[in-house]
Structure formats: structure tokens, C-alpha cells
Amino acid sequence: MAPKKIIIDTDPGIDDILALLLALSSKPEELEVLLISLTFGNIEVKNCLRNVVSMFHILEREMQWRRDNGKPEGYGTLRAFRPVVAVGAEDPLEDQKMLADYFHGTDGLGGIHASVSPSSHSQHCVGASFDPAVDPEGIQPVQTGAVGDHSFIPSKLPAHKEILRALRANEPDTVTLVAVGPLTNLALAAAEDPETFLRVKEVVVMGGAINEPGNVTPVGEFNAYADAVAAARVFALTSPSPNSTLPITTSPLLPPYPENLSRQLTLRLFPLDITLRHNLSRGQFREAVTPLLAAGSPLAEWVDAFMGHTFRTLERLHPGHVGDAAELSMHDPVCVWYAMTSEDPKWAPSANSPEDIRIETQGQWSRGMCVIDRRSRHKIEGDEESSSDHGLWLSSRAGNRIMRMDASPAEATFGQIMIDRMFG
């Protein structure tokens, strides 16, 4: 059976790096990562790029260390397929930029680049390989011998164009797009060529909060808050009438969608409601990594450096998260795990799915809020707004159609599954 094909749109970040490691640790018959597209979010996009290049360098060292010590190399999909890496949005479409460096550190990995430097070569690779002035037309692999030349292909195209290129190059309904950062790259791709964007099998989104509080405001989850306009535009493509839920905007880069699109987007939303139930404890991590540190694993050393920062930050921000019982929610890795195991019947959406979930873009206190209609009202036929239904919430031919995920096959054991995969 052919491997599943995925694109990961990400803002690495701590749990983003764990999500990438989970994906790349797959067997080649399980998964092919076509593209890693980078966006601002947790940190500035230039630091996201540095983290990804560093990760590939560490993985090369790790696989060599495993070979030298007679261990299985692991990371089969990385050895079989070289993903493209593309740099994308530096800023949100319209909102004021907000980063999450208060949690992830200014470099996204708890200051790791100041203490554990994978290689001075990696900085040269970042600067030279992704310089659009060198080759503005597209992809060029780095020269043999440079960091990462066995692991990834740097692209000169902006990430949203690279997303469209990957979707054109593959048959419709064969590529899953896993979006675990702000949705800016996706919104730009959809605005430029909505029909090509709709070739995607499904979009898996980590974002939003439905019945849980937000994590950056009382109602706002970070990814939805960081670019609410982008999220609202991507969500709108799930509607039979996408323009019925588009946010108000004056940007010429964000025109209305064509009236007669060929299909609706399938979007599976992983809000805080489900991701907060998938955790990795400090005790689980310590037990797994301690013998590997003693044995000299480069990957264990690298991950331990930024995870140590993470657990200390948890202790500072959240009372009760102390010692081995402290738990880090695996928001982004659980989305990758879904893409890898989506055929498992234990994955289940909410009973009300598909739901009309819309992202608030204008509110002073409610930016990024997932708005749903909690009224018990009869649906209204037609697509004309009435005095009793401002916003077309009751129309059977308007509103979004979001598959909100609510159950997984590995809620209690996911942290251990992820660690076992990463460290093999």
C-alpha cells in the first residue's frame, strides 16, 4: 500500500518539533512528508527555519550514532523521501502580530541555540539555501556536503506557492495538509488559487477552543488568535456558500471566493478540547531519555535541552505542574498522529459534526474566538438573511461545516507512543 502523503504547515516551537519528529520517525510505507511549510507564530519565521535545519542536522547525527552502535536507524520515511522546506508568512494578514516566545523562548526552543549548537554549518545552510535572490524560480537542493543535503530540499518559493505546487503535482484527494500554526500560508494559497487548494484530501487544523477556555485570552486559542482573518477564510471554504462566512477585509490580497467552487473543503479541527487530553509527563520523558543520554544519543541530548526548559516554564506558569507529574499537552503531535492513523475507527468527531464554527475577527476581547450557535432553533431554508437570523446561522445553505474531532484511539497513552516512536 502506498504511504500517506502529508504537508505539515508549522511554526516550530517545541510541540511543533515533536510533531515533526513523530512524522519523520515513520516507516516509508506509512508516510511521506512532501513539504514542511513554515510560518510565523510561536516565534519569528526566521527562527522557525533555524530550528528545522537544526533538527535535520541532529537527525543525521542521530542516525549515524545508531549505525555506529549497531542500533536500527529509524526515521525510515526521512531516509526514503526528502521533504521540501519552504519559508512562508512573516506576519498575519491583517492583525497585530503576537508571538508565543514567552513560552517557547525567543528562538522557539528555550534558548537552545545559545547552549547546544548543532553546527556552525547550519547557519550558513539557512542563509544560502533559502535566499530567493539566488534562484527566484523555485527549488534547488543544497550542495553536496552541506548540512541537510541528505535530508531536505530547500525551496526558494514562498510557502503558500509551494503548497499549491505540491497539490498540483499529486492527484486530488491524496494529500493531507496538517496545519499546526497560524493559518496564514493556507489562506494565501486558497486566495491565490482556490480550486487547486481544494484538491487537498483534508486539512487537519490544531486551533481554537469550543468548551475550554482559550490559552492566550479567555476565549482565544493561540493559533486562531494569531491570525484570526486567515483562520476565518480557511474555515469559510467548508461552507456551501463560502462568501457567507468570510471576514470583513479591505485587502486586495484577500478577494471573495468565486461563487461556484467545484467542492467544499474537508476540515478536521483539533481544538484545545481534545489536544489538552493528550499529554506527556516529565516522568515519562525522563524515564525514556535518561539511558539514551548516558549512551550518547545526539537526539536525546538535543530534545532534553529544550524539554527541560519547557517543564520549568510549566512549573512557573501553572500551579500544580511540578516534578515528574508535570504534563505538557501534545497539541501539535496529536494532529500528525491523526494524519498517520486516520483509518482507525476510534478517531471520532463530535456528535454534532459537521458544525458551523466561525472565527471572530473584529471583537476587542473576542478575537480568535470559535463562535457556535448554541440556540435551539429550527433551520431556515434559503440563503437570504432575515431579521431573526442575522449572519445566516440558521440557513441550510450557508455557514461553515467543520468536523470537530472529539475522540482518539490513544488519549491515555499518546505521550508514550510518541516517545517510543521518536527514540525507537
Side-chain angles (χ1 to χ4, degrees):
M1 186 171 64
K4 296 175 181 176
K5 296 181 179 182
I6 70 170
I7 295 168
I8 302 177
D9 190 77
T10 178
D11 56 337
I14 289 159
D15 56 332
D16 303 75
I17 287 290
L18 296 178
L20 290 170
L21 289 171
L22 176 62
L24 296 172
S25 68
S26 300
K27 298 175 182 177
E29 60 269 24
E30 291 180 316
L31 198 69
E32 178 181 358
V33 181
L34 299 173
L35 167 66
I36 298 171
S37 54
L38 302 177
T39 178
F40 83 96
N42 290 320
I43 49 174
E44 300 285 0
V45 72
K46 64 181 180 181
N47 287 328
C48 294
L49 176 58
R50 178 166 64 168
N51 291 344
V52 167
V53 172
S54 296
M55 177 194 70
F56 280 117
H57 178 75
I58 289 291
L59 286 175
E60 289 183 354
R61 287 178 52 198
E62 174 73 8
M63 289 185 285
Q64 183 62 54
W65 174 80
R66 292 183 185 187
R67 288 193 295 271
D68 292 345
N69 287 273
K71 300 176 182 291
E73 288 181 71
Y75 291 87
T77 193
L78 177 58
R79 289 183 283 116
F81 310 106
R82 292 202 306 166
V84 173
V85 175
V87 179
E90 297 181 6
D91 300 288
L93 296 177
E94 293 191 348
D95 301 316
Q96 180 180 355
K97 182 157 68 174
M98 173 185 176
L99 304 175
D101 49 8
Y102 67 92
F103 184 84
H104 294 266
T106 55
D107 68 353
L109 295 177
I112 193 173
H113 295 290
S115 57
V116 181
S117 177
S119 169
S120 59
H121 270 322
S122 67
Q123 300 310 308
H124 173 74
C125 179
V126 169
S129 302
F130 294 87
D131 182 2
V134 176
D135 177 11
E137 296 302 317
I139 301 172
Q140 288 295 326
V142 294
Q143 297 299 311
T144 302
V147 172
D149 66 327
H150 299 299
S151 301
F152 71 93
I153 303 170
S155 172
K156 309 301 193 294
L157 288 178
H160 74 278
K161 291 183 180 291
E162 200 60 74
I163 290 171
L164 293 171
R165 189 214 291 262
L167 292 174
R168 290 188 192 105
N170 290 275
E171 292 297 317
D173 295 316
T174 60
V175 177
T176 295
L177 206 170
V178 182
V180 293
L183 298 185
T184 316
N185 288 335
L186 279 68
L188 290 171
E192 180 170 313
D193 189 344
E195 285 293 352
T196 294
F197 187 77
L198 290 173
R199 291 168 65 95
V200 72
K201 178 180 179 181
E202 60 184 5
V203 174
V204 179
V205 172
M206 191 283 121
I210 307 299
N211 298 311
E212 288 282 340
N215 57 8
V216 292
T217 73
V219 295
E221 176 276 330
F222 176 81
N223 288 339
Y225 183 94
D227 197 339
V229 170
R233 286 187 61 90
V234 174
F235 280 32
L237 285 171
T238 69
S239 173
S241 177
N243 292 326
S244 68
T245 63
L246 278 185
I248 298 170
T249 177
T250 59
S251 171
L253 295 175
L254 305 173
Y257 291 123
E259 287 296 331
N260 298 306
L261 290 171
S262 62
R263 60 195 295 184
Q264 294 166 233
L265 178 68
T266 298
L267 190 152
R268 295 189 184 271
L269 182 66
F270 283 74
L272 295 180
D273 305 60
I274 184 171
T275 62
L276 286 170
R277 305 200 304 261
H278 294 76
N279 300 300
L280 173 68
S281 74
R282 177 188 258 149
Q284 282 178 306
F285 180 75
R286 180 183 53 76
E287 185 175 338
V289 81
T290 298
L292 294 170
L293 290 172
S297 161
L299 180 62
E301 178 188 353
W302 191 63
V303 175
D304 182 62
F306 65 74
M307 288 295 282
H309 160 85
T310 304
F311 285 118
R312 289 191 297 272
T313 303
L314 276 175
E315 288 183 331
R316 188 177 74 250
L317 296 177
H318 300 285
H321 281 267
V322 296
D324 279 356
E327 289 188 323
L328 178 65
S329 293
M330 296 289 100
H331 303 292
D332 297 345
V334 73
C335 295
V336 167
W337 184 242
Y338 166 78
M340 294 166 62
T341 64
S342 57
E343 70 284 350
D344 192 317
K346 292 180 181 177
W347 287 109
S350 66
N352 297 326
S353 287
E355 297 179 65
D356 186 0
I357 301 173
R358 309 185 196 182
I359 301 294
E360 174 57 51
T361 62
Q362 298 291 311
Q364 180 179 1
W365 309 117
S366 56
R367 168 179 154 188
M369 178 183 181
C370 287
V371 182
I372 61 174
D373 190 352
R374 300 181 190 271
R375 301 172 296 177
S376 179
R377 302 276 293 275
H378 291 296
K379 288 290 184 182
I380 298 173
E381 290 300 320
D383 52 12
E384 294 295 325
E385 194 169 73
S386 72
S387 58
S388 62
D389 182 32
H390 181 67
L392 295 171
W393 288 92
L394 301 176
S395 170
S396 60
R397 295 203 287 271
N400 296 333
R401 305 289 190 269
I402 305 293
M403 302 298 292
R404 176 169 66 89
M405 301 306 289
D406 194 46
S408 87
E411 193 170 304
T413 58
F414 178 68
Q416 193 62 52
I417 290 171
M418 185 187 69
I419 287 296
D420 289 345
R421 283 259 180 167
M422 284 169 44
F423 293 116

